[in-house]
Amino acid sequence: MASLSVRRGVRRWAVGMVVPLLFVAACGRSGDDRNAEGGIGGGSGGPAVPGPTKSTTVPAGDFGDLKGLCGPKPADQKPASGAPVRGVTDSEISVTTMGDPGNQMQPGLGQEFFDMSDAFTKWCNDAGGINGRKIKVNKRDGMLMEAATKITEACQSDFMLVGGGNPIDDVTVEPRLGCNLGAIPGYVVTTAAIQAPLQVQPGGIPADEGPVGPYKALFDKYPDAKGKVGIIGQNLGALSAVASRYADAVGKAGGTVVTTQLASPIGQEWRTVVEALKAADVQILVSAGTFAVNATPFLQEMNNAGWAPKAILSDQSAYNNFNLQSAKDANVPDFYVYTTYWPQENAAQKPVAQQAVDLFHLKNKNGRMVYFNYAGLNAWLLWAASVKDCGADVTVECVLDKAKRPGWTGGGLFAPNDVGPLDQMHANGCFTMTKLDKDKGFPVDMDVTKPNTDTIFNCSPDNVVKLDQAYT
């Protein structure tokens, strides 16, 4: 199935989501292996993964069904005919990838975007670049509170923003638009950033739409628990609105939210949160980004309180090594993460999924891919395909126009979706449910997913709803 028709004419649902700020407790990322996703071996939080394999059948520059994505300059390509473009020469394209790994509140945040930019550009440049132009990446660290400054720096030399993101991204909109800095980001968060022009979000989701398919799937699994759903989100400015979006979607999926708890960015005392969830008799706990980092202190507090929900459900941000380690350090109830890509655990079933792992291993030899790696790669693939189609005359306007792609799958790695500007963007109509296993990682749970597309995805227009408002 190449795409999904919807009731509103010929538009199709875009696949994606917005990941909220990745904060929990004071136990953020650190030099401790279990808090470092990106290093060699993927930290101690994941199962052993095979070393990199080299394909002898995939031509250099091909990624899945994206043929000739990277390669040398075509013999018949004429020189660029337009005015000079910032960051673009006949031999090179200079771009920025944003992250926040140097921040002190949660060191390492967004390092996965930097790692994937290194891996993808090495793979692409080794194949010849894009129409012969080699990619130069400037990795700019927003450090949470300095993202706007880094955007201003990028405006001096770079063509576009590609494959990254910042959780506090509302402040980046004005400087980005002010210098015509186009973007194909790995993720966006705040409503202001979601609704900003001059970008195409391959994993985007409008602020007034929400995925309900994963909730329905879990409610089918635990029908007696859907009347007691708890939301756990983050208490930091505009990011608290993400929990409100999720609560709205839960209600429209047939669930009843009995409590919403917001965690502080640092120094969270989890006992009060756990006691509130226990007092409300929460049976299904929905995470709005809280399980994006080390959740062990929260889970251990649950164990201490002698309470646990029947199941935990998280967005894609929880597909990481921290939760694998948490499963070894604490008793964890049934823990589901919904995704829109082929996870590494099922890569043997899909050649392009294995190719993604092999590409990633160019940077992290034995590492395990996590959500930000997949999100960054999706953006890089879309950007590269769009630049390639622009030929010699590469402009921001051309790239964003070529990025309007119905049925985009990133070479087959992602569920089919339509990508384009805001007025063509919809929430994810496809999902697959993975279930945490401390030994196996996050394999797809076929019984809960009930897939109908590309072996592992459940796709339907009914998996998405219009929310009551655009939460800000």
Side-chain angles (χ1 to χ4, degrees), residues 84-169:
V85 175
R86 179 187 62 212
V88 180
T89 69
D90 288 340
S91 61
E92 183 180 85
I93 302 180
S94 178
V95 298
T96 278
T97 295
M98 293 291 292
D100 298 89
N103 81 89
Q104 297 303 306
M105 297 174 75
Q106 190 183 110
L109 178 64
Q111 179 64 43
E112 300 85 0
F113 290 135
F114 289 176
D115 290 346
M116 186 51 71
S117 71
D118 286 341
F120 179 83
T121 54
K122 174 175 173 50
W123 173 81
C124 188
N125 287 342
D126 284 352
I130 304 176
N131 292 332
R133 289 185 173 102
K134 298 298 180 71
I135 308 167
K136 175 186 176 183
V137 180
N138 292 307
K139 293 173 284 188
R140 302 189 190 274
D141 190 340
M143 300 182 70
L144 286 183
M145 302 303 176
E146 299 178 18
T149 299
K150 299 301 181 180
I151 293 293
T152 300
E153 291 178 3
C155 288
Q156 308 309 307
S157 61
D158 294 338
F159 174 55
M160 291 182 69
L161 301 180
V162 186
N166 307 97
I168 305 176
D169 54 9

Side-chain angles (χ1 to χ4, degrees), residues 4 13 34 94 169 217 251 260 268 277 313-314 401 421 431 436 460:
L4 298 170
W13 296 111
R34 74 182 57 190
S94 178
D169 54 9
T260 296
Q268 176 64 45
L277 296 170
L313 176 63
S314 177
D401 183 65
F431 70 92
L436 174 62
S460 170

Side-chain angles (χ1 to χ4, degrees), residues 89-362:
T89 69
D90 288 340
S91 61
E92 183 180 85
I93 302 180
S94 178
V95 298
T96 278
T97 295
M98 293 291 292
D100 298 89
N103 81 89
Q104 297 303 306
M105 297 174 75
Q106 190 183 110
L109 178 64
Q111 179 64 43
E112 300 85 0
F113 290 135
F114 289 176
D115 290 346
M116 186 51 71
S117 71
D118 286 341
F120 179 83
T121 54
K122 174 175 173 50
W123 173 81
C124 188
N125 287 342
D126 284 352
I130 304 176
N131 292 332
R133 289 185 173 102
K134 298 298 180 71
I135 308 167
K136 175 186 176 183
V137 180
N138 292 307
K139 293 173 284 188
R140 302 189 190 274
D141 190 340
M143 300 182 70
L144 286 183
M145 302 303 176
E146 299 178 18
T149 299
K150 299 301 181 180
I151 293 293
T152 300
E153 291 178 3
C155 288
Q156 308 309 307
S157 61
D158 294 338
F159 174 55
M160 291 182 69
L161 301 180
V162 186
N166 307 97
I168 305 176
D169 54 9
D170 52 342
V171 298
T172 68
V173 174
E174 183 176 352
R176 184 176 71 79
L177 298 182
C179 73
N180 198 48
L181 188 63
I184 298 183
Y187 81 133
V188 290
V189 179
T190 64
T191 299
I194 292 169
Q195 296 179 340
L198 206 64
Q199 66 178 329
V200 171
Q201 303 170 30
I205 176 172
D208 62 348
E209 291 184 4
V212 294
Y215 303 132
K216 291 179 179 178
L218 205 62
F219 295 162
D220 286 345
K221 173 72 173 179
Y222 304 94
D224 297 334
K226 66 180 182 180
K228 294 185 177 181
V229 179
I231 308 288
I232 183 167
Q234 301 171 69
N235 185 19
L236 185 66
L239 296 171
S240 62
V242 178
S244 299
R245 293 180 206 164
Y246 285 35
D248 190 347
V250 166
K252 287 178 168 50
T256 300
V257 176
V258 294
T259 185
T260 296
Q261 298 294 314
L262 300 180
S264 299
I266 57 174
Q268 176 64 45
E269 171 51 62
W270 288 110
R271 179 174 298 178
T272 57
V273 172
V274 169
E275 291 296 338
L277 296 170
K278 180 179 181 180
D281 192 25
V282 168
Q283 298 296 304
I284 292 179
L285 180 61
V286 173
S287 166
T290 305
F291 289 97
V293 294
N294 183 11
T296 298
F298 173 80
L299 294 167
Q300 288 177 334
E301 193 61 53
M302 279 181 21
N303 294 166
N304 293 339
W307 170 83
K310 291 183 178 179
I312 296 172
L313 176 63
S314 177
D315 54 46
Q316 302 183 99
S317 63
Y319 182 86
N320 60 51
N321 295 332
F322 303 119
N323 292 315
L324 292 175
Q325 184 61 46
S326 293
K328 301 176 188 297
D329 291 342
N331 294 324
V332 180
D334 289 351
F335 191 120
Y336 295 88
V337 178
Y338 59 91
T339 78
T340 59
Y341 50 82
W342 275 81
Q344 177 163 328
E345 289 81 1
N346 293 76
Q349 300 172 247
K350 183 85 168 179
V352 71
Q354 185 59 54
Q355 187 181 4
V357 175
D358 293 345
L359 185 154
F360 173 66
H361 283 162
L362 295 174

